[in-house]
Amino acid sequence: QVQLVDSGGGSVQTGGSLRLSCAASGLTGGSYLMGWFRQAPEKERERVAGIDSCGRTIYADSAKGRFTLTRDNAKNTLYLQMNSLTPEDTAMYYCAADRAVIASYCYTQGPQDFDYWGQGTQVTVSS
């Protein structure tokens, strides 16, 4: 069974940086969609960065130039380096994974379609 444990959140001032980690287990066989999502109070869960069904890295417009998604295959860990943080980045951050079942083209999916989630790690950015 797939299990994800995310960590690395905390409180920083505007302009600060954090690196989130997502340790994965049980990701065996086939391809997986991966992603980092965030959800602020009273807002919809949104994708910040992810890996599509072909292994390509994607970023939300709000993250481009500030956030970097990387992975360490040996440690089965996904990272999200977040720089130049602003109060708009304040949210609970979650890593997510799901099996990629369509092989004929590259695609991603919304948070409603991901099956596996970390417990979440809080990021708070003060002004």
Side-chain angles (χ1 to χ4, degrees):
Q1 182 67 32
V2 174
Q3 185 172 21
L4 307 176
V5 179
D6 42 26
S7 61
S11 298
V12 298
Q13 294 182 336
T14 296
S17 298
L18 287 170
R19 188 179 73 159
L20 307 184
S21 299
C22 176
S25 62
L27 297 181
T28 58
S31 299
Y32 284 84
L33 297 158
M34 302 292 296
W36 284 99
F37 295 80
R38 67 186 182 189
Q39 187 167 21
E42 307 300 321
K43 293 186 177 181
E44 297 292 324
R45 188 168 297 188
E46 62 176 354
R47 180 174 54 247
V48 178
I51 301 173
D52 71 11
S53 61
C54 297
R56 300 172 179 174
T57 302
I58 56 176
Y59 296 97
D61 287 341
S62 62
K64 292 178 180 177
R66 300 190 301 128
F67 295 1
T68 303
L69 179 66
T70 59
R71 64 182 181 182
D72 186 332
N73 290 331
K75 297 181 179 179
N76 293 318
T77 301
L78 194 70
Y79 301 96
L80 183 67
Q81 178 67 45
M82 306 189 296
N83 299 325
S84 302
L85 288 164
T86 76
E88 294 299 316
D89 298 312
T90 295
M92 185 73 76
Y93 283 70
Y94 303 87
C95 62
D98 204 0
R99 290 187 179 274
V101 297
I102 302 174
S104 58
Y105 61 92
C106 303
Y107 70 99
T108 186
Q109 61 187 28
Q112 300 85 355
D113 296 317
F114 277 84
D115 286 341
Y116 309 111
W117 292 87
Q119 80 284 357
T121 183
Q122 178 68 39
V123 170
T124 302
V125 185
S126 62
S127 59

